[in-house]
Amino acid sequence: MKMMRKLVLLLLVLPVVAAHGVFAQDTADGKKPKGDRQEFLIANFKTESGVTLAHARVVYGTYGKLNEAKDNVVLLPSHYMADFHGYEWLIGTDKALDPSKLFLVATELFGNGNSSSPSNTPEPYHGPRFPVTTIRDNVEAVHRLLTEKLKIIHVRAIIGFSMGAQQAFQWAVSYPGFADRIVATAGTAKCYPHGVVRLEGQIAALTTDPTFENGDYKEQPKKGLEAFALVWTAWLFSQEWWRRELWREGAKPGTTFEQVLTEFRTNFIPGADANNLILQMRTWEKHDVGATPGFGGDVERALHSIRVPILYMPSETDLYFPIGDARYEAAMIPDASLAPIASLWGHTAGAASNPADAEFLNETIGKFLAASK
C-alpha cells in the first residue's frame, strides 16, 4: 500500500519519491533535485471571468541558476493539484533537464492550495465564491512572473504534463515566439465534450455529500471526497493495467485489490480542499485554445497558428486525454512530432510513473531539446 500512496502523490500533490525501485527519480549520484520555493504577487489581477483578485499569488520553484544572458530557461507548468516538485522525474544531471546547465522554473496552478485558491483567498472570493480561473489566466500570470519579476523574455522550452500540457499549448498560441520548443505529455489543446462529462461526473460525486453545503462546508465533505476519488481512480490507469494487476509492482506481498481500492478512496489527494479540487476541474474542462482572443472559438485555426516545434507525447492508453484527440490535434500543428508513449499505465505514463516510461520520456524529450542547439 505504501507504493500505491506514493504513486498517487507522484501524480497529484507531493514531490516525486522513489519507492521500492518503482520510480526512477534520484539522480545518478543518488541525490534528489532540490528546488527553491518562491512566490510572486500580482496586484489587481483581472481574470477572464471579469473578477479582479486584489492579490493574486503564484507559487513557483526554481532549479539551477539563471545565466547572465538569461537564455538557459525552461518553464515547467504544473498539473492537477500538483506543487512545483511535480517534474523531478525529468530533472537531474542524468536526465533530460540538467539543473547544472539550465534554469528551471516550475509554477503552480491557481487552485492548488498554495497559489491563490478558494481555500486561501479571503472574502469576497473565499471558497465557492472564488472565480473560475482559466488556463489562459494561469499563462498570463506566469508570463508576468517571468517578464516582470525574473526579467525573462524568452525560454528554451516549455514542458507540461496533463494540465501542464494544456498550458504549454496555450503558451504556443498566446505567445508564439516566447519558447523555442514545446513539449506536451498526456494532455491536449482543448478539453473535448467527453472530458467535460467525466469531470462533471467527478464534481457531482463530490458535491452530493450533504455536508458540502454548496461549498460553504464547516468541515471537508469526507464521503463526497471519497466518492470523487473512486470515480477519478477508474479513469487513471488503463483497463489492462487493472486486469494485469500492475498495482502489485512494488506493493507489499499479500496486498489485496480491496486494500488498493480503499487506499485510493481514502487517501487519493491527502489534505485536499474540496473547493480547490472543483476549481481546478473547472479550469481543466474550460480549456480551449480556440477561445483565445483572435481565433473566434476555432481550435483548428488556433493550432494552425503555432509556429514552434512541438513534441506531442500522448499515452496510448490515456482515458483522460485519448490518443485519438492527440492525433486529431497533431495533424493541424505545422511542426508537430507525435511520439506516443506505449504504456499500460494510462494517464500516469505522461509523468513517468514507472521505469520504462521514465526512460522513454527522458530520452525522447532530451533528444528533442538537444536538436534546437
Side-chain angles (χ1 to χ4, degrees):
M1 298 315 300
K2 184 178 180 181
M3 175 267 186
M4 295 310 301
R5 182 178 293 113
K6 288 185 176 180
L7 175 57
V8 172
L9 296 181
L10 157 68
L11 294 162
L12 301 169
V13 185
L14 298 178
V16 182
V17 181
H20 304 293
V22 176
F23 307 124
Q25 297 303 325
D26 291 346
T27 55
D29 59 5
K31 295 181 180 179
K32 288 170 53 184
K34 184 179 183 299
D36 295 321
R37 184 185 187 277
Q38 302 182 58
E39 294 186 4
F40 174 60
L41 293 177
I42 306 173
N44 299 317
F45 181 74
K46 187 174 181 179
T47 66
E48 282 198 333
S49 68
V51 171
T52 297
L53 296 174
H55 303 286
R57 179 190 300 111
V58 177
V59 172
Y60 65 103
T62 61
Y63 302 78
K65 294 183 179 180
L66 182 63
N67 64 14
E68 187 174 352
K70 296 189 176 183
D71 63 358
N72 66 332
V73 184
V74 174
L75 176 63
L76 303 167
S78 68
H79 43 94
Y80 185 77
M81 292 303 293
D83 64 19
F84 73 82
H85 295 281
Y87 289 94
E88 290 177 357
W89 51 271
L90 199 57
I91 301 171
T93 56
D94 59 334
K95 294 185 170 62
L97 302 178
D98 184 349
S100 69
K101 300 176 182 178
L102 299 170
F103 182 62
L104 310 174
V105 181
T107 58
E108 300 186 9
L109 280 162
F110 291 136
N112 78 331
N114 298 322
S115 293
S116 290
S117 305
S119 64
N120 63 19
T121 300
E123 296 294 5
Y125 300 122
H126 184 70
R129 287 163 290 284
F130 190 88
V132 174
T133 47
T134 64
I135 290 294
R136 275 180 297 280
D137 286 329
N138 282 276
V139 168
E140 176 60 26
V142 173
H143 183 263
R144 293 185 62 176
L145 158 66
L146 294 174
T147 58
E148 295 176 14
K149 181 177 181 179
L150 300 178
K151 309 302 181 185
I152 294 167
I153 59 173
H154 188 79
V155 298
R156 287 192 184 182
I158 299 170
I159 302 172
F161 158 70
S162 191
M163 288 184 79
Q166 291 183 323
Q167 292 171 81
F169 283 118
Q170 189 63 56
W171 273 95
V173 173
S174 293
Y175 298 98
F178 199 86
D180 289 331
R181 301 203 153 211
I182 300 287
V183 178
T185 75
T188 56
K190 176 179 178 177
C191 181
Y192 296 95
H194 186 245
V196 175
V197 171
R198 173 183 66 80
L199 289 161
E200 285 298 320
Q202 289 156 349
I203 292 171
L206 197 165
T207 58
T208 51
D209 187 330
T211 65
F212 181 71
E213 296 186 5
N214 294 315
D216 283 314
Y217 41 83
K218 298 176 179 60
E219 59 183 23
Q220 293 297 324
K222 183 174 180 292
K223 290 184 178 180
L225 289 169
E226 290 187 359
F228 152 86
L230 275 181
V231 176
W232 195 282
T233 299
W235 294 79
L236 192 57
F237 306 100
S238 71
Q239 295 93 336
E240 193 168 354
W241 188 92
W242 289 104
R243 178 172 63 79
R244 293 192 184 188
E245 299 185 343
L246 294 183
W247 49 266
R248 293 188 182 278
E249 293 187 11
K252 184 178 179 181
T255 297
T256 66
F257 169 73
E258 288 72 21
Q259 290 173 314
V260 170
L261 196 60
T262 297
E263 179 67 19
F264 273 112
R265 182 176 66 247
T266 60
N267 202 35
F268 190 65
I269 308 179
D273 174 84
N275 284 318
N276 291 349
L277 293 169
I278 294 170
L279 183 278
Q280 288 207 346
M281 282 188 277
R282 299 289 191 207
T283 300
W284 181 331
E285 69 181 28
K286 288 183 177 297
H287 180 52
D288 179 359
V289 294
T292 306
F295 293 99
D298 190 336
V299 66
E300 296 187 14
R301 192 155 67 91
L303 291 173
H304 276 302
S305 77
I306 296 174
R307 290 294 175 263
V308 296
I310 289 187
L311 175 61
Y312 202 158
M313 301 185 71
S315 166
E316 289 186 348
T317 55
D318 195 342
L319 300 179
Y320 290 179
F321 298 99
I323 191 170
D325 290 346
R327 291 194 179 108
Y328 164 74
E329 292 183 347
M332 292 181 286
I333 300 172
D335 192 2
S337 300
L338 190 66
I341 308 166
S343 175
L344 297 179
W345 287 69
H347 184 60
T348 76
S353 56
N354 62 91
D357 293 341
E359 181 180 358
F360 177 69
L361 285 161
N362 273 280
E363 180 179 352
T364 307
I365 293 171
K367 289 181 179 178
F368 177 72
L369 298 181
S372 65
K373 296 178 181 178

